[in-house]
Amino acid sequence: MFIGAVALNPATGIAQDGMTIVPLKTIKWSVCDSTAPKPDVCQFAYVRGDPAKEPNHKMIKARAGFVFPPHWHAGNEHLVIVSGTVTIAAEGGQERDELLVPGDYLNIPARRVHWGACPSDCVLYLYVDGPDTYFDAKTQRP
């Protein structure tokens, strides 16, 4: 069993050994959509990677009742539920809501239209294997 400590530079979040550490309590959140009637119901934060140019990692948190409308992305998504619950569904397969709980992993293939909701307050970790994109499925089809 490994037991140890990591020395962290609080200014950068980079450990002395080069690992990046981003404590959840220190994340600076941005609103998902500032035009929404209640923009604070969904927030996100990039924790690694330039979303305009490369694969990236981000955290998303949303209040109970938040709905992710039908959409798709150009890259593959890898999602892990950190806290709360999430329902998800997608075109081209089982078009029914699947309930995801903390620790569950979900892979959403590139260009797959999907949608979801947070029945309870939720926090998600999301890795996208290319630049971050978002396409509204009502106006843009893959």
Side-chain angles (χ1 to χ4, degrees):
M1 174 188 295
F2 172 78
I3 299 175
V6 175
L8 177 65
N9 178 340
T12 64
I14 299 176
Q16 289 176 347
D17 63 1
M19 295 188 312
T20 302
I21 300 172
V22 182
L24 190 58
K25 66 183 178 183
T26 66
I27 289 177
K28 304 258 188 292
W29 298 94
S30 299
V31 296
C32 292
D33 182 358
S34 61
T35 65
K38 294 181 180 180
D40 63 336
V41 299
C42 177
Q43 298 178 326
F44 73 96
Y46 289 101
V47 294
R48 186 170 171 88
D50 181 343
K53 301 178 189 174
E54 63 188 357
N56 57 88
H57 305 255
K58 71 179 170 182
M59 302 294 291
I60 299 171
K61 70 177 179 175
R63 291 190 185 164
F66 181 77
V67 173
F68 299 92
H71 65 282
W72 58 278
H73 309 273
N76 298 298
E77 290 185 293
H78 303 270
L79 181 75
V80 176
I81 310 307
V82 175
S83 67
T85 57
V86 176
T87 58
I88 192 104
E91 288 182 353
Q94 294 181 333
E95 291 191 28
R96 61 182 171 83
D97 289 339
E98 294 288 340
L99 182 66
L100 304 174
V101 299
D104 285 353
Y105 165 83
L106 172 67
N107 171 258
I108 304 170
R111 307 179 70 81
R112 171 72 57 91
V113 173
H114 58 283
W115 56 93
C118 291
S120 64
D121 288 357
C122 64
V123 176
L124 318 171
Y125 161 79
L126 178 65
Y127 170 72
V128 180
D129 65 4
D132 198 11
T133 59
Y134 178 93
F135 300 97
D136 182 332
K138 292 180 183 176
T139 59
Q140 296 175 297
R141 299 301 296 178

